[in-house]
Amino acid sequence: MDNAPEGVDPNVPNVARMYDYFLDGKDNFAADRAAAEQILQTFPHTKEGARANRAFLRRAVRHLVDQGVRQIVDLGAGLPTQGNTHEIAPEARVVYVDYDSVVCVHGRALLARRENVDFLQADVREPKALLDRLGTMIDFEQPVAFLMLAILHFIPDDEAYDVVTKLREASAPGSHLVISHAVDSTPDTTPQALEIYRRATAALNLRTREEVLRFFDGYELAEPGLTYPNGWRPEDPDAPGNGITFGYVGVGRKP
Ligand SMILES: C[S@@+](CC[C@H](N)C(=O)[O-])C[C@H]1O[C@@H](n2cnc3c(N)ncnc32)[C@H](O)[C@@H]1O
């Protein structure tokens, strides 16, 4: 991107645009690229991790459709990329949500062009307001799937668990929660990564496996449980790069 829209400071690294850079996207500024390059020096597998995360999203969304889910809310949707949720599940009503204004401008222009697709600018840390607004788009008497991919690690503990609980309480039986979450895999270099994100638009809150598992309280975890992205029902279990450890992923169903 060459010019920043009004109200957007291109000098502050932005977590959505850094992620876009990891996915080889073009919607990023020099400050985003510089911060992302610093992360790549610390965690050289970040690009593969981001791709593995998107591949997990595709497999998880297909699983949701197979389970009969026809309403999907993609929280922290990020900048449009290849394989967006509504393209994987054209039969579903899809609502994308993100709090970032650049993400929303691009999302509305590129994603929300079909009758059953919407893009909502909202902060997930305000679950009551979010649920109120979703109420005009989603039938909460029917199963709904909340996707929370690579977003919860941008939300501190005191808000993250409460948000997930409120979403579960609002959901009908048969609803689903899909999570991917970065973990503290290389303690030696983690402080440098935390520092880079502290200077960005959202700080990182890395969690342990047990802490990520807690988000699924009240859900039944689909096989194979909480795993690395490439370990979740891989299309080709022998594909190269299957050891990449961006973090943990899982799919839960509300009984
Ligand atoms: C790393 S991107 C992940 C994009 C996509 N979910 C994926 O996994 O491919 C994280 C996204 O979460 C959004 N985000 C972070 N905190 C948020 C919040 N409190 N409310 C809404 N969106 C948020 C960011 O703007 C960004 O677009």
Side-chain angles (χ1 to χ4, degrees):
M1 270 192 308
D2 295 327
N3 298 312
E6 213 182 309
V8 172
D9 184 350
N11 300 313
V12 178
N14 174 289
V15 297
R17 299 194 301 260
M18 287 168 67
Y19 183 71
D20 176 69
Y21 181 80
F22 295 140
L23 288 172
D24 297 324
K26 299 278 172 275
D27 297 323
N28 44 71
F29 298 116
D32 309 314
R33 294 190 283 276
E37 280 296 338
Q38 283 181 296
I39 291 288
L40 287 171
Q41 279 166 23
T42 314
F43 296 117
H45 290 309
T46 303
K47 283 191 171 201
E48 287 96 325
R51 280 198 289 274
N53 183 49
R54 293 301 302 184
F56 163 69
L57 177 139
R58 285 193 284 279
R59 297 195 303 281
V61 169
R62 275 189 223 116
H63 168 79
L64 297 172
V65 171
D66 288 348
Q67 296 298 303
V69 173
R70 292 293 179 271
Q71 307 186 96
I72 302 176
V73 182
D74 190 341
L75 298 166
L79 284 154
T81 177
Q82 285 179 358
N84 301 293
T85 299
H86 75 282
E87 293 159 341
I88 306 159
E91 56 277 84
R93 168 115 185 80
V94 174
V95 183
Y96 293 101
V97 177
D98 208 291
Y99 71 171
D100 185 282
S101 47
V102 173
V103 168
C104 291
V105 167
H106 286 254
R108 288 198 177 109
L110 294 174
L111 304 181
R113 302 167 81 175
R114 282 216 330 249
E115 205 179 305
N116 58 346
V117 182
D118 276 300
F119 209 112
L120 195 63
Q121 182 163 13
D123 191 328
V124 166
R125 293 169 299 181
E126 291 162 14
K128 193 182 170 315
L130 172 68
L131 285 163
D132 282 350
R133 291 178 69 194
L134 284 174
T136 60
M137 304 170 184
I138 294 290
D139 177 0
F140 281 103
E141 299 296 315
Q142 299 297 321
V144 57
F146 286 107
L147 308 187
M148 303 195 85
L149 277 88
I151 175 175
L152 280 168
H153 50 234
F154 293 119
I155 304 182
D157 277 359
D158 57 343
E159 294 171 308
Y161 290 100
D162 177 59
V163 167
V164 171
T165 302
K166 292 222 164 57
L167 297 179
R168 189 192 69 228
E169 287 170 354
S171 312
S175 293
H176 286 69
L177 174 70
V178 182
I179 288 178
S180 71
H181 197 297
V183 286
D184 191 351
S185 54
T186 50
D188 291 350
T189 47
T190 296
Q192 295 157 39
L194 292 179
E195 183 51 34
I196 295 164
Y197 276 97
R198 233 190 310 278
R199 287 185 268 114
T201 48
L204 263 187
N205 302 266
L206 297 175
R207 297 190 172 92
T208 64
R209 189 174 193 284
E210 287 63 38
E211 286 165 342
V212 177
L213 205 51
R214 260 184 60 206
F215 287 118
F216 289 102
D217 282 356
Y219 288 93
E220 293 164 347
L221 266 184
E223 288 297 327
L226 199 64
T227 156
Y228 296 131
N230 286 329
W232 199 91
R233 305 186 184 206
E235 274 150 19
D236 175 3
D238 299 322
N242 272 358
I244 296 297
T245 61
F246 148 84
Y248 286 111
V249 307
V251 176
R253 180 184 179 280
K254 181 173 170 175

